[in-house]
């Protein structure tokens, strides 16, 4: 399916994300051309991973009845956040994702100078949003204006709580 959508490969269920905070360094200085570099450009960021099945513990402790494994409709809210964060559990443990969808349309011209591959994580997106996301980034890679593409995408999929994320700001505010 995804090969037909112009993606080389996808990882449908990320287990771990490694991130670095480069908030004080301009984007063009962050990117150093390294062969086989892949940049995560779009999707919910994985905030926390636990090898424990935390949803099972919650359900047991509070006598709640709901399907905990492989359920993509569960959300949690931290006391300091306004938005809901998807939480997912499978046989390997529990994963908590950001309350926003990272988007990188404006950063793509810089990223294309230093990376060969771009990762789009469509977990928790409906099929239409996933397909249009891939099409939008493909258009930017093919030379269309990233600002125009990003604006059009934001108008159609603003309900995803889009954010440019951490590229130019402190990660803790």
């Amino acid at each position: 399916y995804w090969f037909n959508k112009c993606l080389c490969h996808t990882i449908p269920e990320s287990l771990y994300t490694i991130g670095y905070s480069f908030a004080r360094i301009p984007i063009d200085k962050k990117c150093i051309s390294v062969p086989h570099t892949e940049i995560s450009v779009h999707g919910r960021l994985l905030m926390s991973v636990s090898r424990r099945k935390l949803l099972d513990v919650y359900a047991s402790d509070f006598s709640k009845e709901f399907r905990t494994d492989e359920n993509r409709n569960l959300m949690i809210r931290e006391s300091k956040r306004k938005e809901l964060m998807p939480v997912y559990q499978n046989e390997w443990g529990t994963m908590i994702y950001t309350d926003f969808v990272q988007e990188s349309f404006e950063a793509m011209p810089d990223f294309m100078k230093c990376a060969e591959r771009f990762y789009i994580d469509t977990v928790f997106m409906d099929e239409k949003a996933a397909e249009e996301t891939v099409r939008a980034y493909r258009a930017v890679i093919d030379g269309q204006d990233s600002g125009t593409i990003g604006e059009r995408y934001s108008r159609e999929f603003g309900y995803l709580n889009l954010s440019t994320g951490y590229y130019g700001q402190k990660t803790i505010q």
Side-chain angles (χ1 to χ4, degrees):
Y1 173 79
W2 290 109
F3 286 106
N4 295 332
K5 303 299 178 195
C6 304
L7 284 182
C8 297
H9 69 93
T10 63
I11 303 171
E13 231 173 80
S14 306
L15 288 181
Y16 300 100
T17 298
I18 299 172
Y20 300 94
S21 176
F22 294 120
R24 293 185 179 88
I25 304 170
I27 287 175
D28 62 339
K29 300 291 187 218
K30 293 177 194 176
C31 291
I32 300 168
S33 187
V34 177
H36 312 295
T37 298
E38 179 176 275
I39 298 175
S40 180
V41 294
H42 197 96
R44 292 192 182 268
L45 304 177
L46 186 59
M47 288 182 51
S48 177
V49 176
S50 174
R51 297 278 298 152
R52 295 179 292 158
K53 291 188 167 195
L54 300 175
L55 294 175
D56 287 349
V57 172
Y58 172 81
S60 172
D61 285 355
F62 293 97
S63 301
K64 300 284 184 181
E65 296 273 338
F66 60 92
R67 194 183 82 189
T68 56
D69 277 357
E70 309 291 333
N71 185 345
R72 294 190 184 272
N73 297 312
L74 300 176
M75 304 280 198
I76 62 171
R77 179 179 289 132
E78 285 184 331
S79 61
K80 294 182 181 181
R81 293 181 187 267
K82 295 179 199 172
E83 303 293 331
L84 294 170
M85 300 181 309
V87 59
Y88 181 74
Q89 178 178 287
N90 61 21
E91 67 268 17
W92 294 297
T94 307
M95 291 152 274
I96 301 172
Y97 291 83
T98 56
D99 57 347
F100 62 88
V101 173
Q102 172 86 31
E103 62 92 352
S104 306
F105 292 107
E106 290 290 331
M108 284 300 291
D110 289 324
F111 288 166
M112 291 183 333
K113 294 174 189 172
C114 58
E116 295 178 358
R117 295 181 301 220
F118 304 99
Y119 179 68
I120 297 169
D121 192 341
T122 59
V123 69
F124 303 110
M125 275 189 206
D126 61 65
E127 190 173 323
K128 180 185 179 201
E131 287 183 14
E132 290 303 317
T133 300
V134 172
R135 269 196 200 99
Y137 281 96
R138 178 81 262 167
V140 171
I141 291 167
D142 289 343
Q144 292 186 34
D145 181 67
S146 61
T148 303
I149 298 292
E151 288 172 15
R152 188 179 314 136
Y153 186 89
S154 292
R155 278 193 306 274
E156 187 169 355
F157 299 103
Y159 67 88
L160 292 174
N161 193 23
L162 300 169
S163 172
T164 56
Y166 302 113
Y167 296 138
Q169 65 186 12
K170 294 179 180 179
T171 57
I172 299 173
Q173 298 189 17

